[in-house]
Amino acid sequence: MGFPETFKALSDPVRREILVMLKRGKMPAGEIGQHFDMTGATISYHLSQLKKAGLIFETKYKNYVYYEINVSVFEEIMLWFSQFNGGKQDGEKE
Amino acid sequence: MGFPETFKALSDPVRREILVMLKRGKMPAGEIGQHFDMTGATISYHLSQLKKAGLIFETKYKNYVYYEINVSVFEEIMLWFSQFNGGKQDGEKE
DNA sequence: TTTCTATTTAGAATTTCATCTAAATACATT
DNA sequence: AATGTATTTAGATGAAATTCTAAATAGAAA
């Protein structure tokens, strides 16, 4: 965990797309992989990067591994960004 | 511009530190470089990445190139992140 | 227990990135 | 015009990241 891994993890378009997919709820690795034209091994690599960054976590059921978004880390990142717009929040008036 | 370049630019610790430095106001390339143990050429490379991402912009005066934060791009990024915490803003109650 | 399905790990190939040195450009000053 | 200072560009190099194939692991189902 820590900002370096987090920002590194977010720098890849495939990983950002995975995060967007997971907004709707938890999903097993195989189903995530079906949305991409890559091998399961590559998807597994991306999932491990997201996990290492604390952006997602996994739970196991039967022979599936489900992945899920870790909301609290997104809150930390938002906080980092807010230093640049004067603490002003989305939708707030000037 | 576009998210891919923006997130890529943010993935490097040196570039994030440059952004933090620029919070206080515009600064010439040379002065930015003094804070790092790297050649001016490398700093110039990082500045070009940040500029390409739209995170900073430059203005020239005499033989100096001043760099400055582009706040509006940060607002776009915040908006992207807000999709993950249910649109809830920093400091907002549950 | 054997076989099947889901996922990860290991190792290799390729690409991209960060950094340096040296040279080029741009403008200022003398 | 000549020299000096600030910055960028070009090209090279080593390190890191992404991807694949093949093999390994884990658990389910037969």
Side-chain angles (χ1 to χ4, degrees):
Chain A
M1 297 190 225
F3 279 122
E5 292 98 327
T6 304
F7 280 106
K8 188 63 92 174
L10 287 166
S11 72
D12 186 89
V14 171
R15 292 194 286 264
R16 288 198 302 277
E17 200 172 335
I18 290 174
L19 291 173
V20 172
M21 288 173 58
L22 292 180
K23 265 197 312 183
R24 310 193 50 163
K26 66 180 61 168
M27 193 176 284
E31 193 178 336
I32 295 170
Q34 287 174 355
H35 291 70
F36 299 92
D37 187 21
M38 313 177 150
T39 66
T42 298
I43 296 298
S44 184
Y45 162 75
H46 284 304
L47 290 170
S48 76
Q49 299 301 108
L50 288 168
K51 195 172 56 175
K52 202 172 62 173
L55 287 162
I56 61 175
F57 60 93
E58 66 183 31
T59 51
K60 297 179 184 185
Y61 179 68
K62 294 198 168 177
N63 52 345
Y64 298 90
V65 179
Y66 287 85
Y67 285 96
E68 191 169 351
I69 281 192
N70 181 10
V71 179
S72 67
V73 172
F74 282 93
E75 289 172 2
E76 287 174 33
I77 300 170
M78 290 281 277
L79 211 57
W80 186 86
F81 277 104
S82 68
Q83 76 181 302
F84 296 107
N85 66 351
K88 179 166 56 59
Q89 302 305 320
D90 172 41
E92 186 175 322
K93 303 296 179 300
E94 277 302 317
Chain B
M1 303 188 221
F3 279 123
E5 292 96 331
T6 305
F7 280 105
K8 188 63 94 176
L10 288 166
S11 71
D12 186 87
V14 170
R15 291 192 289 262
R16 288 197 302 278
E17 199 172 336
I18 290 175
L19 291 173
V20 172
M21 288 173 58
L22 292 179
K23 264 198 312 183
R24 310 193 51 166
K26 68 180 60 168
M27 192 176 284
E31 193 177 333
I32 295 171
Q34 286 174 354
H35 290 71
F36 298 93
D37 187 19
M38 312 176 152
T39 66
T42 298
I43 295 300
S44 184
Y45 161 76
H46 285 303
L47 290 169
S48 76
Q49 298 300 108
L50 288 168
K51 196 172 57 175
K52 204 172 62 174
L55 287 162
I56 62 175
F57 60 92
E58 67 182 29
T59 51
K60 298 179 184 186
Y61 179 67
K62 295 198 169 177
N63 53 344
Y64 298 91
V65 180
Y66 287 85
Y67 286 96
E68 191 169 351
I69 280 192
N70 180 9
V71 179
S72 66
V73 172
F74 282 93
E75 289 171 2
E76 288 173 33
I77 300 169
M78 289 284 276
L79 212 59
W80 187 85
F81 276 105
S82 68
Q83 75 181 303
F84 297 107
N85 67 351
K88 179 165 56 59
Q89 302 306 319
D90 172 41
E92 185 174 322
K93 303 295 178 303
E94 277 299 318

